């Protein structure tokens, strides 16, 4: 990232052709394109398999009873709150405004089409004709080949609900989809090995073309995500812990310290899982049967930090390209950011890949992912920490809801 930044700035200031993309940058550009194409390639299989498996898992979980319902409710409410917080902040801070050069770069390949804010349309037109009726596919294979994400999501949700309701007869399909999901996850890890080269190229090309504009805009974007994560991590979740969990947030953060630092340094809720479990059980005193259910499930589906980041990033790119996002679009982004967070695997950069779901659904240029990919790692470290913190708070809150006595280590 830094190498791309420094070389990009040098080319921008010392090469006359920088704005039209100098030959230096042209040599490097393919690396970025390969990386982005690999990410795009994974979007459709990822939507299909992760959303299917989320429904199948939740169906399974809900059949487990009361504890499961409370856990899912806590996860849903906190993830939605994070996503809304992200939306509010990005609308207030508007990090993507006043970025004409980035706009030119992103809209090069496609004419800016507004998602729903065409003039002269009523809310009914927008909600029913432009959104709802477009969501039901007439031919799922056409939707798959065209990458119409909302249609794929709709079909997958309905399909998954019915397959899950078949009970043991649906099992072969569920096993198959589980294998597909695992294969796609492994592919993401493989693509991520290429990330340093891709990111180097993407940053270099961006900075060559836009100079310091890119740097200040990206800093504003990072600041917005960071402030959101801080508010959620330091205010919202501690308040929930205090009110509903009746637990002192300061003491709890001490108990969780090693889990949080592991999450921060690995950018992976899955990697932090063993430490999180140990902290929740041994330090905070959450009963084993609750911790063993709530925490591993949370590591895979409960991602508050990721949901917040997804909604900020989507609106940020919309601001850069100048889309006028109406309330409907914001609601769609909210729903999809929440879904994309549930669908993201607990591995580094998973949220960046599922971002494609949100972008495709509201017709944002996928090249936008290239912009945010460059600065993803530090944000991933922070959002993973918030994800794990959310799971841990969940373990306490659910324990209280279950009427359990906690026996924290002093
Ligand atoms: N790295 C995150 C996690 O493991 C997921 C993401 O990329 O947002 O929780």
């Amino acid at each position: 990232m830094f190498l791309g930044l420094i070389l990009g700035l040098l080319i921008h200031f010392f090469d006359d052709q920088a704005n039209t993309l100098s030959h230096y940058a042209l040599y490097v550009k393919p690396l970025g394109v390969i990386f982005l194409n690999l990410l795009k390639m994974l979007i459709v299989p990822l939507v299909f398999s992760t959303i299917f498996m989320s429904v199948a898992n939740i169906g399974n979980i809900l059949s487990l009873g009361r504890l499961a319902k409370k856990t899912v409710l806590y996860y849903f409410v906190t993830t939605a709150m994070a996503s809304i917080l992200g939306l509010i902040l990005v609308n207030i801070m508007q990090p993507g405004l006043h970025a004409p050069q980035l706009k030119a770069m992103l809209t090069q390949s496609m004419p800016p089409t507004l998602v729903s804010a065409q003039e002269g349309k009523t809310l009914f037109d927008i909600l029913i004709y432009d959104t709802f009726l477009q969501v039901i596919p007439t031919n799922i294979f056409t939707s798959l080949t065209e990458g119409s994400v909302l249609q794929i999501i709709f079909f997958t949700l309905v399909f998954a609900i019915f397959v899950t309701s078949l009970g043991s007869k649906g099992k072969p399909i569920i096993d198959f989809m589980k294998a597909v999901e695992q294969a796609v996850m492994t592919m993401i890890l493989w693509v991520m090995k290429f990330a340093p080269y891709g990111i180097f190229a993407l940053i270099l090309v961006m900075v060559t073309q836009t100079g310091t504009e890119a740097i200040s805009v990206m800093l504003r974007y990072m600041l917005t995500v960071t402030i959101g994560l801080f508010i959620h991590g330091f205010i919202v979740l501690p308040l929930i812990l205090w009110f509903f969990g009746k637990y002192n947030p300061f003491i709890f953060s001490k108990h969780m310290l090693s889990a949080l630092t592991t999450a921060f340094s690995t950018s992976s809720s899955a990697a932090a899982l063993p430490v999180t479990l140990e902290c929740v059980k041994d330090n905070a005193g959450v009963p084993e049967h609750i911790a063993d259910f709530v925490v591993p499930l949370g590591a895979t589906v409960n991602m508050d930090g990721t949901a917040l980041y997804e909604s900020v990033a989507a609106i940020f790119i919309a601001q850069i390209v100048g889309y006028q996002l109406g309330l409907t679009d914001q609601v769609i982004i909210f729903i999809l950011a929440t879904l994309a967070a549930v669908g993201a695997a607990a591995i580094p950069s998973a949220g960046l890949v599922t971002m494609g779901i949100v972008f495709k659904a509201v017709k944002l240029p996928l090249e936008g992912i290239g912009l945010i990919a460059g600065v993803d790692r530090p944000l991933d470290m922070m959002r993973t920490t918030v994800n794990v913190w959310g799971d841990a708070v969940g373990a306490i809150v659910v324990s209280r809801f279950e009427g359990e006595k906690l026996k924290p280590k002093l």
Side-chain angles (χ1 to χ4, degrees), residues 113-118 121 126 130-131 323-326 329 332 361-364:
T113 48
L114 299 186
V115 187
S116 67
Q118 292 102 333
K121 292 209 172 180
I126 295 171
D130 291 352
T131 311
Y323 286 175
Q324 304 291 323
L325 292 181
D329 301 306
I332 295 178
V362 284
K363 300 199 176 66
L364 289 169

Side-chain angles (χ1 to χ4, degrees), residues 267-270 303 306 309 344-352 380 383-384 387:
S267 290
S268 162
S269 307
M303 299 203 180
T306 306
Y309 147 87
I347 54 174
S349 297
L352 179 70
D380 195 8
R383 67 180 186 256
T384 308
N387 291 348

Side-chain angles (χ1 to χ4, degrees), residues 178-349:
K178 198 185 257 169
V180 174
E181 189 193 27
Q182 272 168 8
V184 178
M185 295 304 164
T186 325
M187 284 167 84
I188 293 181
L189 288 176
W190 169 74
V191 170
M192 282 305 155
K193 291 215 166 69
F194 189 68
Y197 311 100
I199 287 170
F200 161 70
L202 289 169
I203 295 258
L204 185 138
V205 171
M206 176 168 84
V207 176
T208 301
Q209 275 184 295
T210 68
T212 45
E213 178 185 294
I215 301 175
S216 66
V217 172
M218 294 318 285
L219 283 178
R220 285 202 315 250
Y221 156 70
M222 292 173 79
L223 187 71
T224 312
V225 177
T226 309
I227 292 178
L229 292 176
F230 266 74
I231 296 180
H232 196 73
F234 282 104
I235 301 177
V236 179
L237 287 174
L239 280 178
I240 293 178
L241 179 68
W242 200 36
F243 275 123
F244 297 103
K246 312 262 180 293
Y247 209 110
N248 182 326
F250 293 105
I251 297 180
F252 190 55
S253 54
K254 271 196 197 154
H255 286 154
M256 293 306 302
L257 199 62
S258 48
L260 299 178
T261 46
T262 313
F264 186 77
S265 51
T266 58
S267 290
S268 162
S269 307
L273 181 59
V275 193
T276 316
L277 265 176
E278 195 184 286
C279 292
V280 164
K281 284 197 264 190
D282 298 351
N283 299 349
V286 173
E288 190 136 349
H289 71 281
I290 296 194
D292 284 346
F293 175 75
V294 177
V295 178
L297 179 69
T300 39
V301 301
N302 180 44
M303 299 203 180
D304 298 4
T306 306
L308 187 144
Y309 147 87
E310 305 253 353
S311 40
V312 172
I315 305 274
F316 166 66
I317 297 296
Q319 288 170 349
I320 292 186
V321 296
Y323 286 175
Q324 304 291 323
L325 292 181
L327 192 62
T328 334
D329 301 306
Q330 306 242 5
V331 172
I332 295 178
I333 290 180
F334 157 68
I335 296 171
L336 290 178
T338 310
L339 260 180
V342 173
I347 54 174
S349 297

